[in-house]
Amino acid sequence: MTDIPLSGDFFANGNALAWDETTVQFFFSADIGQLPQGEGTDAVELFTLSSTGVAASVGMTDSFFGGMAFSYQVPVELQSFTIE
């Protein structure tokens, strides 16, 4: 086992780590701090994590979730939509 120092975008309380063999990196959700008053308790983002320990934000999520998995057995159908 080897310790790998973390760097990159700030995060705290990481959760739901999953390995994506297609992109050769981990994905995880993490608490990034407090939202402005009246907008909820915590801001949560989805991150990637390289094998060298570099974290990069992918974007905000609606809530902190406790599990994540990739399945290449289930076909995915992409949909497009327009926001009006």
Side-chain angles (χ1 to χ4, degrees), residues 3-56:
D3 287 338
I4 298 173
L6 298 177
S7 62
D9 293 337
F10 169 79
F11 68 91
N13 303 323
N15 196 20
L17 185 69
W19 175 253
D20 180 11
E21 63 187 40
T22 303
T23 62
V24 191
Q25 61 190 353
F26 290 98
F27 281 85
F28 68 99
S29 68
D31 179 358
I32 61 165
Q34 295 289 325
L35 288 172
Q37 190 170 4
E39 294 186 28
T41 56
D42 290 328
V44 179
E45 290 190 26
L46 181 67
F47 288 85
T48 60
L49 184 66
S50 72
S51 60
T52 59
V54 179

